Amino acid sequence: MMFLSSWSVVLALGTLVSALPKRECAHTVKESVRPPRGWSKVQPAPADHVIELRIGLPQPNFATLEKHLYEVSDPFHERYGAHLSKEEVDALVAPHSESVELVTEWLTSHGLSEGSMSRSPAQDWVTVKVPVSLAEKMLDTEYHVWSHEASNASLVRTTSYSLPDYLHEHIDLIQPTTLFSTWRGMKSTIHSSKAVQPGTTNNAPPIKVPTASGGEVDASCNTTITVSCLKQLYNAVDFTPSGKDGNQIAVTGYLEQFASIADLKLFYEDQVPAAVGTSFKVTSVNGGQNNQTESEAGDEANLDTQFAFGITFPTPATFFTTGGSPPFIPDIGTPTDTNEPYLQWLEFILAQNDPPQTISTSYGDDEQTVPVNYATRVCNLFAQLGARGVSLTFSSGDGGVGDGDPDPATQECFTNDGRNATRFIAGFPASCPFVTAVGGTTFVPEVAIFFSGGGFSNVFPRPSYQEKAVTDFLDKLAPGTYAGLFNPYVQAFPDVSAQSNDFRIFLEGEPVLIGGTSASSPTFAGFVSLLNDARLSKGLPPLGFLNPLIYAIGAEEPSAFNDITVGNNPGCGTPGFNSSEGWDAVTGFGTPNFGKLKEIVTSGKTLGRRHS
């Protein structure tokens, strides 16, 4: 194999540093997990299989970064909107020099040269490619091929790894080791890809919706969602973005989901005729492709790009396509493990000087399949982007209060801690307090859709911006409701919601209807981008991290959101939570009233009194 010869070069280079002193120190366990339900050990991992190890070094000043983040994101604070530069953020997350030196020394002691190490701009991540045989030696562990029956995914993982004692305080985590993630798109399998006939019409009278543009919405929007429907429903018909004020929007693509430019043309002809002849920029991360063969068009990618970019035209738009996806099939002899693409995208975007101000992601996984230290570090990466003025929206999930299975009857809601206890299953990254999680609605007037992911984290503490809204919601529950099935004292989600059913997209040249919170995230992101355009056109900074603003507006100006009070999100054998007045664990504060939000965020004034 060519890999073996290239590895020999690395070893040869390593001899140049072999004279460095080696520390003799016992290894002790750094992390140990139980394999998540549904994963089975198949066989020992091939010794020459290459793993790209990402080593996270501690960020001793992260608390200071978090303080800056909340100050620049708090609409009551004098620093609101004064986002940090890339250089300022990098300085705040940089590890101690001692950590850098000791980790480098450890890597060179195993024959790795400095040239084989890739470092993040802040030096808080070091990446090296090593064969399984060396990774097992470095980490005093054994890797195996694991198989996930439900998704047909295979991963090379271990359930425990160790480090020399002196390195424990200098390394937060190493992956891929204990992360068993299937990283799926949030597209409901119940409401997806239903073929429709071109030119479908509905001659019924408009539906009266007082908060909509002109107070009414086309009757056809009750069965088919278009860009026009969303702009009517969310009170944005009369707003056209500049397209020339520096505003940008982006969506992320993974798992070989390709966005078809030919389908986008048909979509624009059908719904956004002014955009015909335009397209989006494709940015490849880690060798990501965007193949344009008709049969390779992805429903997820087409949904995200067509609606996010259709709502915001003529705002410059980017599709990030990130290479690497499961499954790794061990008998094919795949030379390099490429099934952890998400960290690669985060490393890439954080290295950019001017990332798009609004980015939507419609992918995620069950929170309990993600090791706590990994979830924490990824969540902290989102905080870095927020501090720099980037708004991040994520789909809240399609399993209600249950796992990713959108059919409540077949969900398995058991803990991974060996107890197999019944427990509501949170989604990640939706449960991270530094992103905006978007739940789902349907129909006009809107109600919660049953698969809208929502509930409570099992990892992240509740941030102060959520305290009043979530406590008010919990106070409405009958005493003992779902006792033991969730922790009422932690981060809750979703934060907001948007339509998520029967979106008319074009796929392989044909119109289809598709649904899921995969639709709600790019939709809400589209309206956030319009708000950013309105601010930038007035010389104001972008909104950045949204949640402190959302919860302040929800308390001070609730009419800026369309409160959803009908519906629930069943799962785990229960009816789930109910939608209710104000924030709830099904639809958050509800869907956006763009006109009201624009008045608030372009006024240059605070929202009024501060809530304790």
Side-chain angles (χ1 to χ4, degrees), residues 401-402 413 422-426 455-456 458 482 485-486 571-572 574 576-577:
V401 295
C413 302
T422 302
R423 186 89 169 180
F424 289 165
I425 307 297
F456 294 79
N458 287 302
Y482 302 142
L485 294 182
F486 72 98
C572 304
T574 76
F577 295 108

Side-chain angles (χ1 to χ4, degrees), residues 63-143:
T64 303
L65 172 72
E66 188 175 17
K67 179 176 181 292
H68 284 292
L69 171 66
Y70 280 119
E71 288 180 356
V72 302
S73 307
D74 180 354
F76 301 112
H77 200 280
E78 62 184 2
R79 291 186 61 203
Y80 180 64
H83 302 116
L84 278 61
S85 68
K86 175 182 178 297
E87 292 72 21
E88 289 171 327
V89 169
D90 286 348
L92 286 168
V93 298
H96 287 311
S97 59
E98 182 185 12
S99 296
V100 177
E101 293 167 3
L102 289 175
V103 171
T104 301
E105 176 190 300
W106 173 62
L107 293 172
T108 56
S109 74
H110 285 281
L112 294 165
S113 68
E114 177 65 40
S116 69
M117 304 175 202
S118 172
R119 300 181 190 272
S120 64
Q123 298 197 67
D124 56 331
W125 290 92
V126 182
T127 303
V128 292
K129 292 182 179 180
V130 300
V132 161
S133 57
L134 181 56
E136 291 181 333
K137 180 180 178 182
M138 293 168 63
L139 305 178
D140 191 24
T141 189
E142 293 181 355
Y143 277 87

Side-chain angles (χ1 to χ4, degrees), residues 259-431:
S260 168
I261 295 172
D263 285 338
L264 179 75
K265 179 177 182 292
L266 294 173
F267 178 82
Y268 280 166
E269 289 173 350
D270 183 60
Q271 298 189 33
V272 194
V276 172
T278 69
S279 188
F280 51 84
K281 175 177 143 184
V282 177
T283 297
S284 171
V285 180
N286 190 43
Q289 303 295 310
N290 194 39
N291 297 344
Q292 293 302 298
T293 304
E294 183 176 277
S295 63
E296 292 189 273
D299 50 3
E300 178 78 66
N302 275 11
L303 167 64
D304 293 348
T305 53
Q306 289 173 20
F307 271 87
F309 303 161
I311 290 169
T312 57
F313 175 79
T315 302
T318 299
F319 175 60
F320 289 108
T321 173
T322 301
S325 66
F328 158 68
I329 307 298
D331 58 2
I332 292 179
T334 305
T336 303
D337 196 348
T338 57
N339 48 23
E340 274 197 275
Y342 194 52
L343 263 181
Q344 291 166 329
W345 178 80
L346 278 167
E347 290 175 3
F348 172 86
I349 198 68
L350 283 165
Q352 306 308 302
N353 288 319
D354 297 298
Q357 294 91 340
T358 310
I359 304 176
S360 172
T361 299
S362 295
Y363 297 78
D365 206 346
D366 296 345
E367 185 186 67
Q368 68 171 358
T369 69
V370 182
V372 171
N373 60 3
Y374 181 91
T376 301
R377 279 301 291 258
V378 168
C379 193
N380 290 352
L381 293 174
F382 298 138
Q384 294 177 46
L385 284 169
R388 291 175 55 186
V390 178
S391 299
L392 299 167
T393 66
F394 278 81
S395 302
S396 71
D398 291 342
V401 295
D403 63 13
D405 187 342
D407 184 354
T410 57
Q411 289 180 353
E412 292 188 352
C413 302
F414 303 106
T415 60
N416 278 336
D417 56 6
R419 296 180 300 129
N420 287 331
T422 302
R423 186 89 169 180
F424 289 165
I425 307 297
F428 179 81
S431 64

